[in-house]
Amino acid sequence: MRVDRTARAVVCAGAVVVTAAGGPAWAAAPGTDASAWTIGLGPHTHNAAGLAILIGLTVFSTILALLHMRERARWSLRDAELTRELTRLRGAHDRAEMLLHSERQVIVTWTGRGAGLIEGDIGLALDGRRLSADDPDHLLQFDAWLQPSDARDLAAAVDGLRARGTGFRLSLRTQDGRFVEAQGQALAGRALLRLRETTEERRELIDLRLTLDEARRGLAALGGLLDAIPQPLWRRNRDGALAWVNTAYVAAVEAEGREAALGLELLDRQARDLIARDDGTRTPTGGRPALRLSAVVAGGLRILDVTESAVEAGRVGIAVDVSELESVRADLQRQMDANVRTLDQLPTAVAMFDARQRLIFHNAAYRQLWGLDQAFLEGRPLDGEILDRLRASRKLPEQADFKSWKADVLAAYRAVEASEAWWYLPDGRSLRVVADPNPQGGLTYLFDDVSENMKLESRYNALMRVQAETLDTLKEPVAVFGADGRLTFANRAFATLWRLDAATLSERPRVDAVIEACRALAPDEEPWLDIRGAITGLESRAGLTCRLEVIDGTVLDCAAQPLPEGATLLTLIDVTASVNVERALTDKNDALERTSQLRDTFVNHVSYELRSPLTNIIGFTQLLGDETVGALNERQREYSGHIMRSSGALLVMINDILDLASIDAGSLELSREVVDVRATVEAAVRGLEDRFAEAAIGLDLDVPEDVGSFVADGKRVRQILFNLLSNAVGFSAPGQQVRVEVRRSATDLTLAVIDYGQGMPEEVAARVFDRFESNTLGTRHRGVGLGLSIVRSFVELHGGRVALDSAPGVGTRVTCTFPIASGTARRAAAE
């Protein structure tokens, strides 16, 4: 384009030059013929034209040469620029190729709707069974080398990329198990798909994730372990602020949680500054003990051993509660002081020497035993120096070779176990000397003056001889068995009874041999087993009593009594006479029991037999009294009333007898129900209103309005009150009062009947609840003696108890206490 414009400019310039050179030859006046002008010029005209053409051509050539030179210079610059651009593009292409082939990847480029341009390592998608490297287009057959689901996802993503320019990034898996990353994006009107194998990266990623998971599990385990430690632990960041604390720290600062505890310091500012200063003075290898500080832990002042150390990310610390340790240490010191005071009070002389054989402790008994000066002992003398001083004072046993004897004594410092020796002093005393090696080295001497013990032992041996002679003269058989089960002593009576010869006794036979010899005369095996167990038993050392029957009729009471040191004393007493008397008494008692049983059977039988005719009598008497068969005169009514009252009393007695028989047989059952206490008392009183009026006796009812109810047999409770009120009326004089008192507590209901009659003496009150025990005590009251027995039986059937308080001239109080059940009774009481 630019060359054409230049050529046109050159032609125009030539034309101008020619026109300018021939201008005068062509000029003519208007209207003059041009040919005339040409002809008129002649040869000059041709010279001028040639000159003009020459000049025009020269100018044209010059201009054209100048233009050519300028364009050539411009094209040389353009060529150089294009050469440099080509070189740069080739370098970029080489770098792109190198980057493309630096890893296993393929780039597919689509321009418009045309086919894609595939570049890179198509071996990425090779599958020997389905694909071939000769046909790169097979790469785009995703279902031939990818997992079906991944092939569908990639195909859909590629369609979206080519249609709408939607970018994507997918992680795919080939059919042979390799991993491929697919990335699609739109660039400069082209759709680019990049496929890159990430199998090694995925494997490294998986390994890294496994390592990370293992590290996390280890960190969690470490955190759990640190949380399980009962001592507070913490970690600070580089700024000194708390970054992590364990649960013990949270509890120590009484925080609601770990996050809240990060803002609470266990140690105050002064303690933290002290830790910082101490850490600044530590050597790189450490080695200093923990700082002992005081702090408030869970609301209490505690003593802590605090250790805080620097780590890469900050500092870590732990606080160990040593309050108990300090307390134990103080207690130990007090115990040691107490032990020193105790040892100082002991009569046994005690002296302690260290590993260098120097005296480090002695009690007052040691100083008094040897009469040594206190100043000398406080100078911590050597053991050998003390022995030399005692020898010089003639306080040690006389020795022919004192040097060897002293060496033997000091050899105890090299011994492992304690040694014992006896020293007989010149003043007649006998010492038992124990040298016990200390764990830290050195010795502890115990000097025990056994002079008095030896005298006591001599006296004891003499006393034992006297005791043996005394036991040997007893008529009762006596034997002593040792802790090993052997017969250590048997007196003459024992040997004679069981026919044991002296040779057998001298061999100290075992208990089994002794029992075997004795069973020939007393063959019953059971008592001998008990005796053997009492002698040889280890778990139980209680005394034993049993009875032995000899074949000649003799009866023996045997007693085995434990003695000190595991010994057992066996004594035998002849109780033949008393056993015979006991047998006679037992026979008589059995006869009386049978008689009593026969009497009870007879009474029960007679009661049942009397009840039927008595019921008829009462029925006909009521029929007569009601005058349904005819009118009665006054005397007949009086007789009918006497018959009715007597029959009623007789029926009550028969019913009492039958109730007692049922109780004895265990067949009487209570019909428990919710019983209104006040109504029950009033019902019992109504049954005795005639008797109260006839005897001119007043009645005082002390029953609270809110006494409520309780679970019991209402019929039997009324019978109890009826019997008690009957007795109270019978033993009260006219004009006196009978009081009924009811009280309720959380667990008991108490019914009390009180009369103010003449009372009863103690011996009568002790038998008043016995059956058929009737005492009129000078009153007109009569009865068979079953009323109070029935009362006690019925109350005890309810699980209660009866108490009687009486004194002559004061009156009698009978109290019946019933337990209140926890469920129904409380609800009934509330109602």
Side-chain angles (χ1 to χ4, degrees):
M1 183 74 67
R2 182 176 298 174
V3 174
D4 294 339
R5 287 197 300 269
T6 304
R8 284 196 300 270
V10 171
V11 173
C12 291
V16 171
V17 172
V18 172
T19 301
W26 292 96
T32 302
D33 190 0
S35 61
W37 285 95
T38 306
I39 296 171
L41 289 175
H44 298 289
T45 304
H46 291 287
N47 292 334
L51 180 61
I53 291 170
L54 180 62
I55 294 170
L57 290 176
T58 302
V59 172
F60 174 75
S61 298
T62 302
I63 294 172
L64 184 61
L66 293 173
L67 291 175
H68 175 70
M69 292 175 62
R70 189 182 68 174
E71 290 298 327
R72 183 177 181 181
R74 185 181 296 174
W75 278 105
S76 297
L77 293 175
R78 180 62 177 168
D79 184 63
E81 290 178 0
L82 291 176
T83 301
R84 288 194 298 271
E85 182 67 19
L86 180 60
T87 303
R88 185 182 64 79
L89 290 176
R90 285 176 178 174
H93 180 269
D94 293 340
R95 288 194 297 274
E97 286 288 337
M98 184 170 50
L99 179 62
L100 180 62
H101 295 287
S102 63
E103 55 184 343
R104 202 174 187 192
Q105 61 181 342
V106 176
I107 296 178
V108 184
T109 306
W110 288 278
T111 302
R113 297 290 181 178
L117 175 62
I118 301 174
E119 297 178 293
D121 185 5
I122 64 171
L124 173 69
L126 283 181
D127 187 340
R129 296 171 298 172
R130 302 183 182 180
L131 297 179
S132 173
D134 298 333
D135 189 3
D137 292 335
H138 287 177
L139 177 72
L140 302 179
Q141 298 176 7
F142 302 135
D143 55 351
W145 59 280
L146 290 176
Q147 296 288 344
S149 59
D150 291 346
R152 289 192 298 270
D153 294 341
L154 180 57
V158 169
D159 291 342
L161 173 65
R162 298 185 63 184
R164 298 179 299 275
T166 304
F168 62 88
R169 184 187 293 270
L170 299 175
S171 179
L172 310 173
R173 191 165 186 178
T174 65
Q175 294 180 3
D176 57 357
R178 292 175 293 113
F179 291 94
V180 175
E181 181 187 50
Q183 181 180 359
Q185 63 180 1
L187 183 63
R190 296 180 178 87
L192 299 179
L193 171 63
R194 181 190 183 198
L195 299 173
R196 185 171 65 92
E197 183 174 357
T198 59
T199 303
E200 292 299 327
E201 296 178 1
R202 179 62 65 91
R203 185 177 293 109
E204 292 177 0
L205 180 61
I206 292 174
D207 293 341
L208 290 175
R209 284 179 178 174
L210 292 176
T211 304
L212 179 60
D213 292 341
E214 184 66 25
R216 285 176 176 171
R217 287 193 294 270
L219 184 61
L222 180 60
L225 178 62
L226 294 178
D227 279 336
I229 295 176
Q231 290 82 18
L233 290 103
W234 62 88
R235 178 173 61 84
R236 300 181 185 276
N237 55 25
R238 289 188 174 89
D239 297 333
L242 290 172
W244 180 88
V245 295
N246 67 345
T247 54
Y249 188 100
V250 176
V253 298
E254 298 180 302
E256 295 181 356
R258 200 187 303 270
E259 295 298 329
L262 294 178
L264 301 175
E265 289 285 354
L266 177 63
L267 305 174
D268 56 17
R269 171 61 64 182
Q270 183 178 1
R272 297 199 301 273
D273 293 342
L274 182 60
I275 292 173
R277 290 196 301 271
D278 180 74
D279 185 71
T281 58
R282 287 178 181 267
T283 61
T285 58
R288 291 192 180 184
L291 289 176
R292 184 151 295 179
L293 303 171
S294 298
V296 177
V297 178
L301 184 62
R302 311 293 290 178
I303 300 176
L304 306 176
D305 272 355
V306 180
T307 303
E308 191 169 281
S309 303
V311 294
E312 182 179 356
R315 302 179 63 81
V316 293
I318 182 173
V320 180
D321 191 346
V322 295
S323 304
E324 287 77 9
L325 179 62
E326 285 296 316
S327 177
V328 169
R329 182 175 297 174
D331 291 341
L332 178 61
Q333 186 60 43
R334 289 192 295 270
Q335 188 67 29
M336 292 177 61
D337 295 339
N339 289 339
V340 169
R341 292 192 298 270
T342 301
L343 290 175
D344 211 32
Q345 299 296 324
L346 288 179
T348 301
V350 180
M352 296 182 184
F353 293 83
D354 60 14
R356 295 176 298 173
Q357 302 185 13
R358 288 195 173 275
L359 181 67
I360 57 175
F361 171 79
H362 68 280
N363 63 351
Y366 179 83
R367 187 173 59 254
Q368 296 171 2
L369 174 65
W370 301 115
L372 296 173
D373 184 55
Q374 180 68 24
F376 171 71
L377 296 176
E378 290 179 354
R380 302 183 63 187
L382 294 171
D383 193 1
E385 294 176 354
I386 296 176
L387 293 177
D388 291 337
R389 175 169 288 204
L390 293 177
R391 178 173 180 267
S393 302
R394 297 184 58 82
K395 294 181 180 180
L396 292 179
E398 295 293 340
Q399 302 292 335
D401 187 356
F402 177 76
K403 184 176 181 180
S404 299
W405 180 83
K406 177 181 176 182
D408 292 340
V409 172
L410 298 180
Y413 284 93
R414 299 185 298 274
V416 178
E417 297 180 353
S419 60
E420 181 179 355
W422 295 84
W423 291 4
Y424 301 99
L425 304 185
D427 57 2
R429 290 180 298 173
S430 299
L431 299 181
R432 174 177 169 269
V433 182
V434 177
D436 187 12
N438 297 328
Q440 298 83 11
L443 280 178
T444 297
Y445 285 107
L446 301 177
F447 298 92
D448 190 9
D449 189 350
V450 295
S451 305
E452 190 66 25
N453 293 343
M454 296 181 68
K455 294 178 183 178
L456 291 176
E457 183 179 1
S458 177
R459 293 176 185 175
Y460 171 77
N461 293 334
L463 182 61
M464 289 298 296
R465 288 193 296 270
V466 172
Q467 184 179 7
E469 292 294 332
T470 302
L471 293 176
D472 207 31
T473 58
L474 290 177
K475 294 182 179 181
E476 291 80 7
V478 177
V480 178
F481 289 86
D484 57 356
R486 291 184 176 275
L487 181 65
T488 59
F489 174 79
N491 64 353
R492 284 192 295 269
F494 188 89
T496 302
L497 174 64
W498 302 112
R499 302 174 186 176
L500 301 174
D501 54 22
T504 302
L505 296 177
S506 62
E507 294 176 357
R508 297 185 61 199
R510 293 188 176 275
V511 61
D512 292 335
V514 176
I515 290 176
E516 188 65 27
C518 297
R519 284 188 59 189
L521 300 177
D524 191 5
E525 183 179 3
E526 184 175 355
W528 290 114
L529 292 177
D530 295 338
I531 293 172
R532 184 183 183 281
I535 295 173
T536 61
L538 297 177
E539 296 181 359
S540 175
R541 293 285 296 161
L544 169 71
T545 58
C546 60
R547 179 160 290 180
L548 298 172
E549 294 186 2
V550 187
I551 57 177
D552 60 359
T554 304
V555 180
L556 302 172
D557 273 352
C558 176
Q561 186 64 33
L563 297 178
E565 298 181 359
T568 304
L569 174 66
L570 193 66
T571 59
L572 301 170
I573 300 176
D574 190 348
V575 293
T576 306
S578 60
V579 167
N580 292 334
V581 173
E582 181 181 354
R583 287 172 180 171
L585 293 176
T586 302
D587 293 339
K588 289 183 179 181
N589 184 67
D590 293 341
L592 291 175
E593 290 285 344
R594 288 193 297 272
T595 302
S596 176
Q597 185 177 3
L598 182 62
R599 181 197 65 189
D600 293 341
T601 304
F602 171 75
V603 170
N604 294 338
H605 180 72
V606 169
S607 299
Y608 276 110
E609 293 298 327
L610 289 177
R611 192 171 187 176
S612 296
L614 184 60
T615 303
N616 293 332
I617 293 172
I618 293 174
F620 284 116
T621 303
Q622 288 178 344
L623 192 62
L624 290 173
D626 294 340
E627 298 183 4
T628 57
V629 296
L632 300 178
N633 57 32
E634 189 64 29
R635 179 168 292 182
Q636 289 173 337
R637 292 192 188 93
E638 182 181 355
Y639 291 162
S640 176
H642 286 308
I643 294 171
M644 192 68 185
R645 286 191 295 273
S646 299
S647 299
L650 182 58
L651 182 61
V652 170
M653 286 187 291
I654 292 174
N655 288 335
D656 288 346
I657 293 173
L658 294 178
D659 287 340
L660 287 175
S662 299
I663 292 172
D664 292 340
S667 60
L668 182 64
E669 295 183 359
L670 299 177
S671 299
R672 295 184 181 270
E673 58 183 350
V674 178
V675 177
D676 187 285
V677 178
R678 188 175 186 85
T680 302
V681 173
E682 292 174 352
V685 170
R686 281 195 300 271
L688 291 170
E689 286 179 348
D690 294 341
R691 290 191 60 186
F692 275 100
E694 182 181 350
I697 296 174
L699 179 63
D700 180 15
L701 294 180
D702 184 4
V703 183
E705 292 292 338
D706 59 347
V707 70
S709 305
F710 75 115
V711 178
D713 190 332
K715 176 183 175 182
R716 301 306 179 185
V717 174
R718 287 192 299 272
Q719 191 172 350
I720 290 169
L721 290 171
F722 185 87
N723 289 350
L724 293 178
L725 290 171
S726 297
N727 280 350
V729 171
F731 288 97
S732 297
Q736 292 182 337
Q737 275 195 341
V738 173
R739 178 181 175 85
V740 178
E741 184 180 283
V742 181
R743 294 291 182 269
R744 186 189 188 105
S745 67
T747 57
D748 299 318
L749 178 72
T750 303
L751 303 177
V753 176
I754 308 164
D755 68 70
Y756 301 96
Q758 63 181 359
M760 62 185 72
E762 184 177 354
E763 61 275 8
V764 175
R767 302 190 309 272
V768 74
F769 288 104
D770 296 341
R771 296 180 185 181
F772 304 106
E773 187 67 30
S774 179
N775 293 278
T776 61
L777 299 177
T779 65
R780 293 180 300 172
H781 179 71
R782 297 293 183 271
V784 295
L786 295 178
L788 290 180
S789 180
I790 289 288
V791 168
R792 182 174 66 177
S793 298
F794 285 164
V795 173
E796 290 177 351
L797 279 176
H798 282 83
R801 60 187 183 277
V802 181
L804 184 142
D805 297 320
S806 182
V810 176
T812 302
R813 177 190 180 100
V814 181
T815 304
C816 301
T817 303
F818 296 89
I820 297 177
S822 60
T824 307
R826 280 203 297 265
R827 291 195 297 270
E831 294 173 359

